[in-house]
């Protein structure tokens, strides 16, 4: 889904070349049909199975954006000369990244390219987010994130995230607390990589994000299009990359490349 920061977040469902606005469909009965075909989101090849949220197997094995270091940036191997696509790495990884705190299912640390702020936060369903470091590469962002993971979560519990808006958190206080706890290790990284490579962002304002939700589910039941190709229900909310129906929830990001039809009942 395509997102735009507003109050609340504005959502569009990408269906081929068409973008369907979703906020206006809240409270309406909808039908989502998986039509049985999957096309790679990179090469458009028809595939029987999707890998890494939308790729065919050859692209999954070949593309740098599908390598394990995308999930674990501290394992970046660009400097070893073994990057799958060095030019892609230069454009997407060897650029400024932001290390941030977010309130999703609780406070977590995360990283994203500077150009993906605030999109990344909305995709994760964060109700609050605050930049805490600006670093010169994805690898360095992974090193900083690893330090913070010893003190705070780096994953979102999606079930908890979908059960409510969550309690507000003083992210600035958490930033100060975590930065102090990691001060010696941060200084070590700055000595190794340079002060300009790892910059502390003190006092950056937190962003508050509101989502279009009429009602949160009490129990979270997830749809699987591979097992249940037809999803029907009243749309009660949208948060992160999830559609929340009165009959269950579905993570649309998981089904990149699936040929799907959306209709009103």
């Amino acid at each position: 889904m395509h997102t735009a920061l507003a109050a609340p977040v504005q959502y569009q469902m990408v269906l081929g070349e068409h973008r369907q606005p979703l906020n206006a469909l809240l409270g309406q009965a909808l039908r989502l049909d998986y039509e049985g075909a999957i096309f790679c989101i990179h090469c458009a090849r028809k595939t029987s199975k999707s890998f890494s949220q939308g790729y065919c197997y050859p692209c999954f094995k070949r593309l740098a954006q599908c390598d394990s270091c995308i999930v674990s940036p501290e394992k970046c191997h660009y400097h070893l000369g073994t990057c799958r696509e060095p030019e892609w790495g230069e454009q997407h990884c060897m650029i400024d990244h932001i290390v941030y705190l977010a309130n999703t299912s609780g406070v977590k640390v995360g990283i994203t390219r500077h150009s993906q702020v605030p999109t990344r936060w909305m995709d994760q369903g964060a109700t609050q987010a605050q930049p805490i470091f600006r670093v010169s590469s994805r690898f360095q962002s992974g090193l900083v994130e690893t330090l913070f993971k010893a003190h705070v979560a780096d994953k979102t519990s999606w079930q908890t995230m979908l059960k409510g808006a969550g309690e507000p958190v003083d992210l600035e206080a958490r930033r100060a607390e975590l930065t102090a706890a990691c001060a010696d290790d941060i200084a070590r990284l700055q000595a190794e990589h340079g002060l300009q490579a790892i910059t502390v962002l003190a006092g950056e304002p937190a962003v508050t994000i509101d989502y279009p939700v009429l009602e949160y589910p009490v129990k979270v039941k997830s749809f699987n299009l591979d097992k249940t190709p037809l999803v029907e229900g009243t749309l009660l909310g949208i948060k992160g990359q999830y559609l929340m129906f009165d009959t269950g929830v579905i993570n649309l990001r998981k089904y990149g490349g699936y040929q799907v039809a959306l209709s009103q009942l």
Side-chain angles (χ1 to χ4, degrees), residues 187-211:
R188 175 180 53 80
L189 289 179
Q190 289 176 323
E192 292 176 2
H193 298 273
L195 289 174
Q196 298 302 315
I198 300 174
T199 304
V200 178
L201 299 176
E204 284 287 312
V207 175
T208 300
I209 304 173
D210 181 40
Y211 294 90

Short mmCIF file of all heavy atoms in Angstrom, two decimals, residues 187-211:
data_model
loop_
_atom_site.label_atom_id
_atom_site.label_comp_id
_atom_site.label_asym_id
_atom_site.label_seq_id
_atom_site.Cartn_x
_atom_site.Cartn_y
_atom_site.Cartn_z
N ALA A 187 30.93 5.92 21.19
CA ALA A 187 32.21 6.62 21.04
C ALA A 187 33.23 5.75 20.31
O ALA A 187 34.02 6.25 19.49
CB ALA A 187 32.73 7.02 22.43
N ARG A 188 33.20 4.46 20.59
CA ARG A 188 34.11 3.54 19.89
C ARG A 188 33.81 3.49 18.40
O ARG A 188 34.73 3.54 17.57
CB ARG A 188 33.98 2.13 20.49
CG ARG A 188 34.79 1.07 19.76
CD ARG A 188 34.62 -0.30 20.40
NE ARG A 188 33.24 -0.69 20.56
CZ ARG A 188 32.49 -1.21 19.56
NH1 ARG A 188 33.02 -1.35 18.34
NH2 ARG A 188 31.23 -1.56 19.78
N LEU A 189 32.53 3.42 18.04
CA LEU A 189 32.17 3.40 16.62
C LEU A 189 32.55 4.71 15.94
O LEU A 189 33.02 4.72 14.79
CB LEU A 189 30.66 3.16 16.47
CG LEU A 189 30.15 1.75 16.79
CD1 LEU A 189 28.63 1.70 16.60
CD2 LEU A 189 30.82 0.71 15.92
N GLN A 190 32.36 5.82 16.64
CA GLN A 190 32.73 7.11 16.06
C GLN A 190 34.24 7.21 15.86
O GLN A 190 34.72 7.79 14.88
CB GLN A 190 32.25 8.25 16.96
CG GLN A 190 30.73 8.43 16.94
CD GLN A 190 30.24 9.48 17.91
OE1 GLN A 190 30.78 9.62 19.02
NE2 GLN A 190 29.22 10.24 17.51
N ALA A 191 35.02 6.62 16.77
CA ALA A 191 36.47 6.62 16.62
C ALA A 191 36.89 5.77 15.42
O ALA A 191 37.85 6.11 14.71
CB ALA A 191 37.13 6.09 17.90
N GLU A 192 36.16 4.69 15.17
CA GLU A 192 36.50 3.79 14.07
C GLU A 192 36.06 4.35 12.73
O GLU A 192 36.76 4.20 11.72
CB GLU A 192 35.84 2.42 14.29
CG GLU A 192 36.41 1.64 15.47
CD GLU A 192 35.65 0.34 15.70
OE1 GLU A 192 34.72 0.04 14.92
OE2 GLU A 192 35.98 -0.37 16.67
N HIS A 193 34.88 4.98 12.68
CA HIS A 193 34.28 5.39 11.41
C HIS A 193 34.31 6.90 11.18
O HIS A 193 34.04 7.35 10.06
CB HIS A 193 32.85 4.88 11.33
CG HIS A 193 32.73 3.39 11.37
ND1 HIS A 193 32.83 2.60 10.25
CD2 HIS A 193 32.56 2.54 12.42
CE1 HIS A 193 32.70 1.33 10.60
NE2 HIS A 193 32.53 1.26 11.90
N GLY A 194 34.56 7.69 12.23
CA GLY A 194 34.59 9.14 12.09
C GLY A 194 33.37 9.78 12.72
O GLY A 194 32.25 9.24 12.65
N LEU A 195 33.57 10.96 13.33
CA LEU A 195 32.46 11.66 13.97
C LEU A 195 31.37 12.04 12.99
O LEU A 195 30.18 12.07 13.32
CB LEU A 195 32.99 12.91 14.68
CG LEU A 195 33.84 12.69 15.94
CD1 LEU A 195 34.40 14.01 16.43
CD2 LEU A 195 33.01 12.02 17.03
N GLN A 196 31.76 12.36 11.75
CA GLN A 196 30.77 12.77 10.75
C GLN A 196 29.97 11.57 10.23
O GLN A 196 28.89 11.74 9.67
CB GLN A 196 31.47 13.47 9.58
CG GLN A 196 32.20 14.74 9.97
CD GLN A 196 31.28 15.76 10.61
OE1 GLN A 196 30.17 15.99 10.13
NE2 GLN A 196 31.72 16.37 11.71
N ALA A 197 30.51 10.36 10.40
CA ALA A 197 29.84 9.16 9.89
C ALA A 197 28.70 8.72 10.80
O ALA A 197 27.72 8.12 10.34
CB ALA A 197 30.84 8.02 9.72
N ILE A 198 28.82 9.00 12.11
CA ILE A 198 27.81 8.59 13.08
C ILE A 198 27.49 9.80 13.94
O ILE A 198 28.23 10.15 14.86
CB ILE A 198 28.30 7.41 13.94
CG1 ILE A 198 28.63 6.21 13.04
CG2 ILE A 198 27.26 7.04 14.99
CD1 ILE A 198 29.26 5.05 13.78
N THR A 199 26.39 10.46 13.61
CA THR A 199 26.03 11.72 14.26
C THR A 199 24.83 11.52 15.18
O THR A 199 23.78 11.01 14.75
CB THR A 199 25.68 12.79 13.22
OG1 THR A 199 26.78 12.95 12.32
CG2 THR A 199 25.37 14.11 13.87
N VAL A 200 24.98 11.90 16.44
CA VAL A 200 23.86 11.85 17.38
C VAL A 200 22.89 12.96 17.06
O VAL A 200 23.28 14.12 16.88
CB VAL A 200 24.37 11.99 18.83
CG1 VAL A 200 23.19 11.99 19.81
CG2 VAL A 200 25.36 10.89 19.18
N LEU A 201 21.62 12.64 16.96
CA LEU A 201 20.57 13.63 16.71
C LEU A 201 19.86 13.91 18.03
O LEU A 201 18.86 13.27 18.37
CB LEU A 201 19.59 13.11 15.66
CG LEU A 201 20.18 12.81 14.28
CD1 LEU A 201 19.11 12.22 13.35
CD2 LEU A 201 20.78 14.07 13.65
N ALA A 202 20.38 14.85 18.77
CA ALA A 202 19.81 15.17 20.08
C ALA A 202 18.66 16.17 19.91
O ALA A 202 18.78 17.17 19.19
CB ALA A 202 20.88 15.75 20.99
N GLY A 203 17.54 15.88 20.56
CA GLY A 203 16.43 16.83 20.57
C GLY A 203 15.60 16.87 19.30
O GLY A 203 14.81 17.81 19.12
N GLU A 204 15.75 15.88 18.42
CA GLU A 204 14.88 15.83 17.24
C GLU A 204 13.43 15.62 17.70
O GLU A 204 13.17 14.79 18.58
CB GLU A 204 15.29 14.69 16.32
CG GLU A 204 16.53 14.95 15.50
CD GLU A 204 16.27 15.95 14.38
OE1 GLU A 204 15.27 15.80 13.66
OE2 GLU A 204 17.07 16.89 14.24
N PRO A 205 12.48 16.34 17.13
CA PRO A 205 11.09 16.18 17.58
C PRO A 205 10.53 14.82 17.21
O PRO A 205 10.85 14.26 16.15
CB PRO A 205 10.35 17.30 16.85
CG PRO A 205 11.19 17.58 15.64
CD PRO A 205 12.61 17.36 16.06
N ALA A 206 9.72 14.28 18.09
CA ALA A 206 9.01 13.03 17.80
C ALA A 206 7.82 13.32 16.89
O ALA A 206 7.20 14.38 16.98
CB ALA A 206 8.55 12.37 19.08
N VAL A 207 7.53 12.38 16.01
CA VAL A 207 6.39 12.48 15.10
C VAL A 207 5.27 11.59 15.63
O VAL A 207 5.50 10.43 15.98
CB VAL A 207 6.78 12.04 13.67
CG1 VAL A 207 5.56 12.03 12.76
CG2 VAL A 207 7.86 12.97 13.12
N THR A 208 4.07 12.14 15.72
CA THR A 208 2.91 11.36 16.13
C THR A 208 2.10 10.99 14.90
O THR A 208 1.86 11.83 14.03
CB THR A 208 2.03 12.16 17.11
OG1 THR A 208 2.80 12.48 18.28
CG2 THR A 208 0.80 11.36 17.53
N ILE A 209 1.71 9.72 14.81
CA ILE A 209 1.03 9.21 13.62
C ILE A 209 -0.32 8.62 14.02
O ILE A 209 -0.41 7.79 14.94
CB ILE A 209 1.88 8.15 12.90
CG1 ILE A 209 3.27 8.74 12.56
CG2 ILE A 209 1.19 7.66 11.63
CD1 ILE A 209 4.24 7.72 12.00
N ASP A 210 -1.36 9.05 13.33
CA ASP A 210 -2.72 8.58 13.58
C ASP A 210 -3.18 7.75 12.38
O ASP A 210 -2.91 8.12 11.23
CB ASP A 210 -3.64 9.79 13.79
CG ASP A 210 -5.07 9.37 14.08
OD1 ASP A 210 -5.27 8.39 14.81
OD2 ASP A 210 -5.99 10.03 13.56
N TYR A 211 -3.88 6.65 12.65
CA TYR A 211 -4.29 5.74 11.58
C TYR A 211 -5.81 5.72 11.43
O TYR A 211 -6.55 5.94 12.40
CB TYR A 211 -3.77 4.32 11.87
CG TYR A 211 -2.27 4.25 11.83
CD1 TYR A 211 -1.52 4.47 12.99
CD2 TYR A 211 -1.58 4.02 10.65
CE1 TYR A 211 -0.13 4.44 12.96
CE2 TYR A 211 -0.20 4.00 10.61
CZ TYR A 211 0.52 4.21 11.76
OH TYR A 211 1.90 4.20 11.71
#
